Amino acid sequence: MATEIKVPVLGESVTEGTIAEWLKQPGDAVAADEPICSLETDKVAVDVPSPVAGVMSEHRASVGDNVEVGAVIAVIEEGATASAAAPAATPAPAPAPAPAAAKADTPAPAQSEALLNPAQTMSPAVRRAVLEHGVDPSTIKGTGKDGRLTKEDVLAAAEAKKSGGAAPAPAAPSPAAAAPAPAGAGRNSERVKMTRMRQTIARRLKGAQEQAALLTTFNDCDMSAVMEARDKYKDLFAKKHDIRLGFMGFFAKAACLALKDVPAVNAYIDGDEIVYHDYVDISVAVSAPNGLVVPVIRDADKKGFARIEQDIADFGARAKAGTLTMEDMTGGTFTISNGGVFGSLMSTPIINPPQSAVLGLHRIEDRPVVRNGEIVIRPMMYLALSYDHRLIDGREAVTALKIIKEAIEDPTRMLIDL
């Protein structure tokens, strides 16, 4: 029996997606709930699973096609077998068991994650295969559209690695090719279509500049107290909560204090009305393979440090794996973006519409400052608060940033809600 596979509901206000990669080709066997294709939306890439077991009969859409929710994209012959649907391929001889030394060379999960290059576009299925098999994607030649890696490319590389083989070496250059290149050669250009997510990021950021009256206020912050508290309690914290104590938890709690005291920074404009919130949902900017995403820590004002750090760690891991959902990134009343992890000294972050403010964190570095009439060295960080001046006055923005600075410099304020 033929079963049509339709584009599933992708989330609120999302009506279509783009076929990023077919994970199953016509003639391939498909298990129930097994992903058959990767679908890229404005916010995330999602795998479309098969509701039945059978064989992929046909594709109704091609890679790069825009497909609406509910559209038929494939047909699966339920209950069929791969041999019945397509000519059987000549089975390849089973590879000899890998020697123990080769098995020992397989990277651990943490090492495998280090192989992932944020600049290399990969679907969720491909990324999972890279992590599972511990292969370096930069050494694999992609056979997909525009040279993108497919799951089959990764599996073939993993099989070659297990059998002790290697990827085919490039053919030796012909004598003509070996001749010295003329001056100016090698200046190639490549035209690559923007992914749907990158198009959305570009549109939203440009829209924020055009619609909001953006302004940024700066301050600097002495990180001594937070660093001392972190060094003193990080081992106990990790032992009790099984999570590392980072700096983002401190800044999230400090931001909650500021947003409660200055409600306009936690609000947004909707037409000719202002929408205020009695809760704080903090969007945390996370670097994902296809661009910047902002998953949301719900009710951050009601959560403790451990839960906030756990949420952030979970978002980071799922952003790398490409498994964040639409629900993870829906909403948010305020954003924190940490450019310091990449070495940024100072920046003017752009707000995340429809929000009205974003806090930018930067790198910590020792600088000379004056304390009690003496020049001393302190670990300092520049803080930046960009805001929509249509809603937030300068006094409110400066006050909010000052509250965050004071809470970080004296963490006791977070405990007594001061």
Side-chain angles (χ1 to χ4, degrees):
M1 183 178 75
T3 299
E4 295 182 334
I5 308 301
K6 299 181 179 181
V7 177
V9 176
L10 300 171
E12 185 180 355
S13 76
V14 179
T15 60
E16 67 174 16
T18 301
I19 301 291
E21 179 186 359
W22 280 107
L23 307 177
K24 292 292 182 179
Q25 301 299 324
D28 289 351
V30 181
D33 297 323
E34 184 178 10
I36 62 168
C37 78
S38 177
L39 196 65
E40 191 176 72
T41 71
D42 291 346
K43 296 183 178 180
V44 294
V46 296
D47 286 347
V48 178
S50 170
V52 297
V55 170
M56 176 66 71
S57 174
E58 62 174 309
H59 295 164
R60 295 279 182 88
S62 302
V63 172
D65 287 353
N66 292 332
V67 289
E68 296 183 352
V69 171
V72 177
I73 57 174
V75 176
I76 290 180
E77 289 294 335
E78 187 175 352
T81 61
S83 58
T90 302
K103 294 181 180 179
D105 290 338
T106 301
Q111 293 173 312
S112 299
E113 290 186 11
L115 297 174
L116 298 178
N117 180 3
Q120 191 170 8
T121 301
M122 289 183 278
S123 72
V126 173
R127 300 185 69 79
R128 281 198 296 272
V130 167
L131 292 174
E132 287 173 4
H133 296 282
V135 295
D136 186 350
S138 65
T139 64
I140 306 172
K141 181 175 177 59
T143 60
K145 184 178 180 182
D146 298 326
R148 291 177 62 173
L149 288 182
T150 66
K151 185 177 179 181
E152 288 71 23
D153 296 333
V154 176
L155 295 178
E159 192 64 31
K161 182 179 178 181
K162 283 182 183 178
S163 60
S174 63
R187 292 168 55 83
N188 299 321
S189 299
E190 182 182 8
R191 188 181 294 270
V192 179
K193 184 178 179 180
M194 293 174 69
T195 64
R196 174 178 287 270
M197 186 181 296
R198 176 52 61 184
Q199 292 178 47
T200 301
I201 292 171
R203 185 172 62 251
R204 285 173 59 85
L205 292 181
K206 187 58 181 174
Q209 285 186 319
E210 293 174 346
Q211 296 170 16
L214 293 178
L215 189 62
T216 304
T217 183
F218 298 93
N219 214 322
D220 61 356
C221 178
D222 187 342
M223 296 291 292
S224 299
V226 164
M227 293 176 72
E228 290 173 6
R230 183 170 176 268
D231 289 342
K232 184 176 181 179
Y233 296 111
K234 63 181 182 181
D235 292 338
L236 290 174
F237 187 88
K239 182 177 180 180
K240 180 175 181 179
H241 301 292
D242 195 28
I243 191 70
R244 187 179 68 90
L245 178 60
F247 293 120
M248 283 295 287
F250 288 95
F251 279 101
K253 296 302 290 183
C256 290
L257 290 181
L259 301 180
K260 287 301 181 72
D261 283 0
V262 189
V265 182
N266 196 43
Y268 67 86
I269 294 176
D270 184 13
D272 59 356
E273 297 178 332
I274 300 174
V275 180
Y276 292 96
H277 307 93
D278 64 355
Y279 55 88
V280 178
D281 286 351
I282 295 182
S283 302
V284 181
V286 176
S287 181
N290 293 334
L292 195 69
V293 294
V294 279
V296 181
I297 303 173
R298 312 284 177 188
D299 295 314
D301 53 321
K302 298 180 177 65
K303 292 180 177 178
F305 280 81
R307 183 59 188 276
I308 289 175
E309 293 289 355
Q310 287 166 352
D311 285 352
I312 293 171
D314 177 59
F315 290 149
R318 289 197 287 140
K320 281 185 177 180
T323 57
L324 287 171
T325 65
M326 298 294 294
E327 185 180 357
D328 291 328
M329 287 176 284
T330 301
T333 61
F334 181 77
T335 294
I336 299 179
S337 177
N338 185 7
V341 296
F342 303 110
S344 172
L345 175 65
M346 186 180 292
S347 66
T348 55
I350 300 177
I351 64 173
N352 178 26
Q355 299 172 20
S356 297
V358 53
L359 175 67
L361 309 182
H362 303 90
R363 74 171 185 252
I364 302 170
E365 64 177 8
D366 289 342
R367 290 201 295 269
V369 295
V370 178
R371 295 288 185 268
N372 300 319
E374 295 183 354
I375 298 177
V376 295
I377 302 298
R378 291 287 186 270
M380 304 296 293
M381 175 194 288
Y382 286 119
L383 305 179
L385 183 72
S386 290
Y387 59 98
D388 188 347
H389 211 348
R390 297 178 302 165
L391 171 61
I392 303 169
D393 294 332
R395 176 183 60 83
E396 293 173 313
V398 171
T399 299
L401 190 57
K402 185 170 178 286
I403 291 172
I404 294 173
K405 167 187 168 71
E406 292 173 344
I408 294 298
E409 293 184 339
D410 183 7
T412 306
R413 289 173 173 266
M414 299 183 219
L415 299 177
I416 59 178
D417 194 17
L418 185 60

